[in-house]
Amino acid sequence: MNTGSDHSGLGSRAPEFIKARRLLHRGWQAGVFVIGLAVVIAGVAMLALPGPGWVVIFAGMAIWATEFVWAQVVLRWTKRKVTEAAQRALDPEVRRRNIALTVTGAVIIVVLCTIYLWRFGLVPPWRIKDR
């Protein structure tokens, strides 16, 4: 497991001929930053609009991670946290609790729907007059 101070394999993934020329490398990084920023902004917009917002935000982070160490570190941390959360979610005790909560919620919804249908029938709520 990686520790927080493990920075092996971090750094620019630009081709060597670009990294060898400072001005060209800065231009490359600026381009990567702008493209990554556009993707992250699109992902943030998709959080409110239809679309896979979080997936697009992480795609923008992955674009940044091709050039910037800070983005690589953030992505490694995020991957580690997602893996830990997935392992916790697969824990049998947690799964039993989640199933129990889901069943309880479903029973409550069925009871409320049954009471509504018994009282008002198939009338939409906005058409219910004083009954």
Side-chain angles (χ1 to χ4, degrees):
M1 183 170 192
N2 291 338
T3 62
S5 61
D6 181 21
H7 294 298
S8 61
L10 298 179
S12 176
R13 292 187 180 92
E16 289 303 320
F17 74 92
I18 290 176
K19 287 194 284 189
R21 293 162 182 85
R22 182 174 172 82
L23 186 60
L24 187 58
H25 191 226
R26 292 291 180 209
W28 177 274
Q29 287 180 322
V32 168
F33 182 80
V34 168
I35 292 169
L37 182 63
V39 173
V40 168
I41 289 171
V44 169
M46 286 181 200
L47 292 175
L49 302 171
W54 285 110
V55 173
V56 175
I57 289 171
F58 288 122
M61 288 296 296
I63 291 169
W64 279 338
T66 64
E67 274 309 303
F68 304 107
V69 172
W70 61 267
Q72 294 166 2
V73 171
V74 168
L75 275 180
R76 284 184 179 186
W77 178 84
T78 304
K79 287 178 185 177
R80 188 173 63 250
K81 292 298 179 183
V82 167
T83 302
E84 290 170 4
Q87 289 172 346
R88 280 193 310 269
L90 294 176
D91 178 23
E93 184 176 322
V94 173
R95 290 186 72 200
R96 279 191 297 274
R97 184 195 66 211
N98 289 345
I99 290 170
L101 288 172
T102 301
V103 169
T104 302
V107 167
I108 291 170
I109 289 171
V110 167
V111 167
L112 291 174
C113 288
T114 302
I115 292 170
Y116 177 86
L117 289 173
W118 175 73
R119 173 81 169 94
F120 301 108
L122 290 175
V123 179
W126 55 88
R127 293 208 175 162
I128 295 176
K129 302 283 190 250
D130 294 324
R131 282 192 173 189

